Amino acid sequence: MTRTKTMAWVGGALYLLAVGLLVGGAPRASGTVHGVGALLAASLLVGVVRRVPLLALAMALCGATAVVVGPTGSARASLSASYQGEFLSYLAVDLVVGLIVATCARRASVVAVAGSLIVQLLVISGFSHGDNLTVNVVIALLATAAACMGGLLSRERREHALALRSQEVAEAVIAERLRIARELHDMVAHSIGIIAIQAGAASQVIRTRPTEAGEALRAIEVTSRETLSGLRRTLVALRQADPGAAASGNGAALAPSPGLADLNRLVAATADAGVRVDVRRSGEERALPADVDLSAFRIVQEALTNVVRHAGTGRCRVLIDYGDEEVSVEIVDDGRGANGNGADHGLGLGLGLGLGLGLGLGLVGMRERVALLYGDFSAGPRPEGGFRVTARLPLPEPAGVPVEAR
């Protein structure tokens, strides 16, 4: 930073030196020569323009005015006949004015434009007469106006780009919040539903059948631990600003996101809640992309949660088809359909726990997951009774290892 500042001030000093050499070293040169020399010398002010724009404008004005006023004889005669030399001398001034309009506050821009115009008009009025005066004034006004327009367009373009970036950041934050909300809903709603059912069963048989009550309590413990592990993993993902937090956590916090490989654990937990799940796989099985694998697992998890909570049946069927271009998931039960299981899909009433875990979030969450992967989703009662949930998730690559239907 110090080196850059020093180079900027050195450039400013060299600019003043160059202007002095133009004025004193070539007094009889034409106005065009002085104008070109002043324009080239203005490139030395780049560092000052970036740091102190108004000071750079003042230096450019002083230099251009000195080049125009300083030469005598032929230069003065040339200026009275033509605006060539003066225009080239003040072109660098107009460029600095445009930069100030583009980057500085409105008050500084007004001061820069007004100061530049006043100086140029004073010089023109002192060295031009008759028709030349009118032509030179018009040229000065047009050059300043062009610089101002260029600065305003650059400012608007930059502000528009900033607004777009801010909008993208806001949309990314909203998308991340929705993703976290879906994860928490799928994780917590399923676990709380299992825990509530197991707790209710345990409270009913704790005196008459203590063995079954103990099994229900153990299921509650296992489900609670798994839920806490998932919550810790989510919190670790939210604390990316502190990488040491994840490194110092336990293994559960760093465990990978669940997928279809964890379906057996989900089936076992559902069986503990009183619903037997028949899982069938077909097609060419493969390691799925993380987002597809997680979405497929969460869809099955949410559907099984609804079966346990509302279908009023003791069994359901899960079909997973690994296609060449997509993986399809279907969950079917023969329960109460739209009056039972479908109630949660349509209204998301949950278990009445007052935790806001339902309210339609199950169906909305599944539909959003599928939409983000550009797939197809449907859920509704079956004509023959029960409820069906289907989801088709596109795959980026063909499948690999064949799996017999079973």
Side-chain angles (χ1 to χ4, degrees):
M1 184 65 68
T2 303
R3 182 179 179 181
T4 304
K5 182 178 180 180
T6 302
M7 293 297 294
W9 294 121
V10 169
L14 290 176
Y15 171 76
L16 297 177
L17 178 60
V19 170
L21 292 175
L22 283 173
V23 174
R28 296 184 180 181
S30 66
T32 302
V33 172
H34 284 94
V36 172
L39 181 60
L40 295 177
S43 61
L44 298 171
L45 291 175
V46 172
V48 183
V49 170
R50 291 179 176 178
R51 301 187 65 85
V52 192
L54 289 178
L55 177 60
L57 176 63
M59 295 176 67
L61 277 173
C62 293
T65 303
V67 169
V68 173
V69 176
T72 58
S74 63
R76 182 183 294 270
S78 175
L79 186 60
S80 64
S82 164
Y83 190 64
Q84 276 187 327
E86 186 173 354
F87 173 75
L88 292 174
S89 299
Y90 284 106
L91 181 58
V93 174
D94 293 329
L95 293 176
V96 176
V97 169
L99 179 63
I100 292 175
V101 172
T103 58
C104 296
R106 180 174 299 178
R107 179 177 299 180
S109 301
V110 172
V111 171
V113 174
S116 175
L117 272 178
I118 291 173
V119 172
Q120 292 188 56
L121 293 177
L122 287 176
V123 173
I124 292 171
S125 63
F127 289 89
S128 300
H129 305 282
D131 293 338
N132 289 332
L133 176 61
T134 302
V135 172
N136 292 340
V137 169
V138 171
I139 292 176
L141 292 176
L142 289 177
T144 304
C148 293
M149 289 299 297
L152 289 175
L153 290 175
S154 177
R155 175 190 289 271
E156 290 181 0
R157 188 183 303 111
R158 187 178 65 256
E159 291 177 351
H160 181 65
L162 289 175
L164 288 179
R165 284 197 292 269
S166 299
Q167 182 178 358
E168 290 175 358
V169 170
E171 291 176 353
V173 170
I174 293 174
E176 183 65 12
R177 288 178 176 175
L178 290 176
R179 185 189 68 81
I180 295 171
R182 285 193 297 269
E183 286 297 308
L184 292 177
H185 171 268
D186 294 342
M187 184 190 315
V188 176
H190 172 77
S191 302
I192 293 297
I194 298 297
I195 290 173
I197 292 175
Q198 295 284 11
S203 65
Q204 294 178 5
V205 300
I206 191 169
R207 295 183 181 277
T208 58
R209 288 176 287 178
T211 302
E212 295 183 8
E215 293 178 356
L217 292 176
R218 281 191 293 274
I220 291 175
E221 179 184 6
V222 172
T223 305
S224 301
R225 291 182 182 277
E226 292 177 351
T227 304
L228 288 175
S229 176
L231 289 174
R232 283 196 295 269
R233 183 171 58 249
T234 303
L235 293 176
V236 168
L238 293 175
R239 296 178 60 189
Q240 291 299 320
D242 183 13
S248 61
N250 54 34
L254 299 176
S257 299
L260 292 179
D262 302 297
L263 199 56
N264 291 336
R265 175 174 55 82
L266 181 62
V267 168
T270 306
D272 291 338
V275 176
R276 188 170 66 86
V277 182
D278 180 18
V279 180
R280 298 182 182 181
R281 296 180 176 88
S282 63
E284 299 179 350
E285 190 174 6
R286 59 166 292 174
L288 301 176
D291 52 351
V292 176
D293 201 20
L294 175 61
S295 296
F297 176 83
R298 292 304 189 194
I299 290 170
V300 174
Q301 182 184 51
E302 178 64 25
L304 293 181
T305 300
N306 293 331
V307 172
V308 171
R309 290 156 61 179
H310 298 285
T313 182
R315 57 177 300 173
C316 69
R317 184 172 66 255
V318 176
L319 306 176
I320 302 175
D321 178 37
Y322 294 87
D324 291 339
E325 298 181 354
E326 65 183 20
V327 59
S328 301
V329 176
E330 182 181 61
I331 302 91
V332 180
D333 68 74
D334 55 358
R336 291 192 292 265
N339 295 325
N341 186 20
D344 179 67
H345 290 278
L347 300 175
L349 298 178
L351 291 172
L353 299 176
L355 298 176
L357 299 176
L359 301 177
L361 295 180
L363 175 61
V364 173
M366 287 189 284
R367 193 179 300 278
E368 286 178 348
R369 286 184 182 278
V370 176
L372 288 174
L373 297 174
Y374 304 99
D376 295 324
F377 174 81
S378 65
R382 298 192 301 163
E384 62 272 25
F387 205 86
R388 175 187 288 110
V389 175
T390 60
R392 295 192 303 107
L393 307 176
L395 292 175
E397 298 177 2
V401 181
V403 177
E404 297 294 335
R406 56 184 185 271

